[in-house]
Amino acid sequence: MRILRLITFVLIMLYTGAAFSQTTLFHNFNGYTLTGKPGAEAVLVKFDAMLIRDGKIAAVGTLADLEATYGKQLADQRVDLKGKFVLPGITDAHGHVLGLGQNLMLADLRDATSESNAAATVADFARKNPSAPWVLGRGWNQENWDVRQFPQAQTLDEVDSERPIYLTRVDGHAAWANSKALELAGITADTVSPDGGDIIRDQQGQPTGVLIDNAMGLVERVIPTPTAEQQEQALKVAFEHLLARGITGVHDAGVDATNLQVYKDLANDNALPIRIYAMLSATEPTLAELLAAGPYVSDDDKLAVRSVKIYGDGALGSRGAALLASYHDAPDQHGLMVTSQERIRELYELIIPHGFQINTHAIGDRANRVVLDEMERAYNTIGGRSLRHRIEHAQIVHPEDIPRFKELNIIASMQPTHATSDKNMAEDRLGKARMKGAYAWQTFAEQGTIIAAGSDFPVELADPFFGLHAAVTRQDRDNQPQGGWYAHESLTLEQALRAFTLDAAYAAGQEQVLGSIEPGKWADFIVLDHDPFARDAAILWQNNVNATYVAGEREYSAN
């Protein structure tokens, strides 16, 4: 009889497990989410209550409807959000998490107004870090300086001539080094620029200290590699930074084997506070072995590894973006293919048979055409059309190539703040005639191409509300230029939010479990102090995140 009672009790537990689950009711808020199919078919839904069970959304609607359906005692606990505003957790579809964490611990040159001002910032950082073997920094942008030209090694030599100094440009596609760093790297007047890179030289042929794209590797290979412990520390710094800005997931654009292992260790220890969709770096020496191991997804969907990031070309600001015609302001330059077309083909042939998505960086119109051509060739020879391949940035695309994104089922992974950051120099680089296919978000959206939005942090600031504002207004945060920069390519707020939530989830193959506040999906959401749909677009970027929840757990609180 005792055994029969035990069996009966176990059966009751199995068939009524929901009744014994931990449930939380969030109510008294104004919520928005996109539901339905990703892309133009998604619709905006409002709600003011949601029931969460074991980290997932159990029900969404009005409080009255939920209580009528489930009864007054529908949850173990209630959380009153006191009239605040709720959105799905933001996914940044293109960021560099380790780079962000490391950047937060380096000399920050983003606000420098001149070469000498940047050097002064480096000098202050060097004084505060006397034991660091290298003085490292990031964020300089000569296009924002009083004299818009590349800097010189001698300026940094005046800061410190004994310690090597190495400073990455804001876009990560150029670096500024002092003479000591050049010496350690063996860079002299006789050093040949590597394929896909350029050592900038003066009129006498001497290196100036500025290195473009693959030439950066000459110095980077002699910089001590961060240990796994140092990487973990940097990642945790980045996690805190991202969660405070309402970001619950990141598509990490290029991780090496060490970074990947740190992620897996954190996931195994239930220590990942945000969701990571990790793109394997195509330059990782063990890429073939990692692909052979197959896709990896943790049980809680905190870590997914089933894509590869390839660099096609460089960046526009450093004239490294590969263009079909020469640069308007440098007629002797066409940019650089960081990875040759032949190597891109080899990588596609390696990656696609393993069932991994391919995400190729392409900024210039030549690079975009190369990627589209090679993807079309791959479809015709080895398949892979269903893998939701992406072009990262898709920044300058020849108008004839834009329809090919739809034809080839290519997702456009785009970063709205790039347009407002580049508006001061893009026309200089391209000339007005080639702006037709540049930063063409609405053109892509109207043809039905899925747009996954991100920031490309730490190239840009990680705040997604800066991205939403840029997408909707085509203006910087000083609301310039008036009327917006090529404003016909702006997105509606609904389109922009979709690109940062549901469509970003689709771009990672995760739209069934992430991207919206719907029953059955993980309860990732953020609480805001203002209603983005009721605000003047000009101040859309001015929104404070009160709390960030991942799987129903509060991972950040402003209080």
Side-chain angles (χ1 to χ4, degrees):
M1 182 64 72
R2 189 177 302 169
I3 293 174
L4 181 60
R5 288 197 191 105
L6 180 59
I7 292 173
T8 302
F9 177 73
V10 170
L11 289 173
I12 292 172
M13 289 288 289
L14 288 173
Y15 284 98
T16 63
F20 295 90
S21 299
Q22 179 66 36
T23 55
T24 303
L25 174 71
F26 289 84
H27 66 99
N28 188 19
F29 61 82
N30 296 282
Y32 299 93
T33 191
L34 278 302
T35 64
K37 287 186 177 181
E41 294 183 45
V43 296
L44 187 68
V45 173
K46 292 183 177 183
F47 57 100
D48 62 28
M50 56 183 168
L51 183 65
I52 295 173
R53 178 179 293 119
D54 293 337
K56 291 189 175 182
I57 302 292
V60 176
T62 67
L63 178 61
D65 287 344
L66 294 189
E67 289 184 337
T69 302
Y70 297 98
K72 294 285 187 179
Q73 304 301 318
L74 73 169
D76 300 304
Q77 60 178 340
R78 293 184 175 225
V79 177
D80 185 343
L81 293 180
K82 300 178 180 178
K84 298 293 185 181
F85 302 90
V86 168
L87 294 179
I90 300 294
T91 294
D92 191 308
H94 185 111
H96 305 274
V97 183
L98 181 61
L100 173 63
Q102 292 172 334
N103 198 53
L104 291 169
M105 297 188 290
L106 302 180
D108 184 359
L109 307 177
R110 191 182 298 272
D111 295 329
T113 56
S114 66
E115 181 174 347
S116 60
N117 179 242
T121 300
V122 174
D124 182 61
F125 180 85
R127 281 192 298 271
K128 293 175 180 176
N129 296 271
S131 62
W134 282 69
V135 178
L136 303 175
R138 181 165 181 161
W140 62 272
N141 183 358
Q142 83 283 359
E143 294 298 327
N144 293 335
W145 293 352
D146 50 5
V147 178
R148 294 166 63 182
Q149 62 186 25
F150 279 142
Q152 302 289 316
Q154 289 85 346
T155 307
L156 295 180
D157 293 343
E158 294 173 7
V159 172
D160 196 326
S161 59
E162 298 300 319
R163 274 194 295 177
I165 301 176
Y166 184 76
L167 312 169
T168 310
R169 193 180 184 275
V170 65
D171 57 14
H173 288 270
W176 174 21
N178 70 348
S179 297
K180 186 65 175 180
L182 297 177
E183 175 192 333
L184 292 174
I187 297 174
T188 68
D190 298 324
T191 305
V192 177
S193 294
D195 290 341
D198 192 16
I199 300 170
I200 303 298
R201 306 170 193 272
D202 61 21
Q203 291 182 344
Q204 289 71 46
Q206 296 294 327
T208 64
V210 172
L211 310 168
I212 307 297
D213 287 309
N214 286 356
M216 297 164 64
L218 300 175
V219 174
E220 290 175 353
R221 68 189 181 192
V222 299
I223 298 175
T225 303
T227 65
E229 292 75 16
Q230 290 170 328
Q231 286 200 15
E232 182 175 338
Q233 179 187 5
L235 290 173
K236 289 180 177 178
V237 170
F239 296 158
E240 292 182 9
H241 184 86
L242 296 168
L243 288 164
R245 284 150 183 80
I247 295 172
T248 58
V250 176
H251 299 174
D252 197 342
V255 303
D256 62 18
T258 302
N259 193 171
L260 177 63
Q261 190 57 54
V262 173
Y263 275 144
K264 286 186 174 181
D265 290 343
L266 290 170
N268 290 335
D269 293 338
N270 295 315
L272 268 180
I274 67 173
R275 301 189 189 279
I276 298 294
Y277 182 74
M279 308 179 198
L280 301 175
S281 175
T283 58
E284 164 56 45
T286 63
L287 176 63
E289 291 89 333
L290 294 173
L291 292 171
Y296 171 92
V297 181
S298 62
D299 291 340
D300 59 3
D301 293 308
K302 287 285 187 72
L303 178 62
V305 187
R306 52 171 177 248
S307 66
V308 179
K309 163 71 179 300
I310 301 172
Y311 273 106
D313 63 346
L316 191 65
S318 52
R319 296 189 186 88
L323 301 182
L324 293 168
S326 65
Y327 275 83
H328 182 71
D329 58 357
D332 60 330
Q333 296 184 37
H334 285 74
L336 302 163
M337 287 299 294
V338 176
T339 306
S340 69
Q341 184 166 355
E342 293 73 23
R343 179 56 179 160
I344 288 174
R345 182 176 300 176
E346 291 173 358
L347 285 167
Y348 286 9
E349 291 174 349
L350 169 67
I351 296 164
I352 288 175
H354 291 285
F356 278 62
Q357 176 193 58
I358 297 173
N359 306 324
T360 311
H361 165 119
I363 288 181
D365 50 11
R366 180 185 168 213
N368 275 278
R369 181 166 292 179
V370 165
V371 173
L372 292 167
D373 287 348
E374 289 306 317
M375 193 58 70
E376 183 173 12
R377 181 186 181 280
Y379 289 172
N380 293 333
T381 56
I382 58 176
R385 180 181 289 269
S386 64
L387 293 173
R388 301 185 185 180
H389 302 298
R390 299 161 41 162
I391 290 183
E392 304 299 313
H393 309 306
Q395 203 161 306
I396 302 143
V397 184
H398 193 285
E400 293 177 3
D401 287 328
I402 291 177
R404 299 178 68 195
F405 278 72
K406 180 66 175 175
E407 294 164 6
L408 297 173
N409 196 33
I410 302 294
I411 294 165
S413 173
M414 307 173 92
Q415 299 75 44
T417 49
H418 278 342
T420 51
S421 293
D422 293 355
K423 61 182 173 55
N424 294 332
M425 61 84 180
E427 282 190 14
D428 293 342
R429 297 288 189 269
L430 301 172
K432 282 203 171 190
R434 279 185 286 179
M435 291 301 297
K436 186 176 181 181
Y439 312 89
W441 313 327
Q442 190 59 245
T443 299
F444 278 101
E446 287 176 358
Q447 73 176 15
T449 294
I450 294 287
I451 297 175
S455 67
D456 198 12
F457 64 76
V459 174
E460 302 282 355
L461 297 174
D463 194 315
F465 291 95
F466 294 176
L468 289 168
H469 171 265
V472 173
T473 67
R474 301 280 291 204
Q475 296 175 319
D476 60 26
R477 292 184 295 282
D478 292 324
N479 297 313
Q480 295 299 319
Q482 290 188 3
W485 186 67
Y486 293 90
H488 64 282
E489 290 291 0
S490 64
L491 299 175
T492 67
L493 180 54
E494 183 175 318
Q495 287 176 315
L497 179 61
R498 193 176 71 220
F500 274 105
T501 56
L502 188 59
D503 288 0
Y506 176 89
Q510 297 175 317
E511 75 277 10
Q512 298 300 320
V513 293
L514 298 174
S516 60
I517 300 175
E518 297 181 81
K521 294 189 176 184
W522 290 107
D524 298 354
F525 62 94
I526 58 177
V527 182
L528 308 175
D529 59 356
H530 291 99
D531 183 346
F533 285 91
R535 303 203 90 182
D536 187 313
I539 57 172
L540 188 59
W541 62 275
Q542 300 175 21
N543 214 322
N544 296 320
V545 176
N546 295 156
T548 302
Y549 289 80
V550 180
E553 297 292 329
R554 189 171 62 186
E555 296 290 355
Y556 166 78
S557 176
N559 300 324

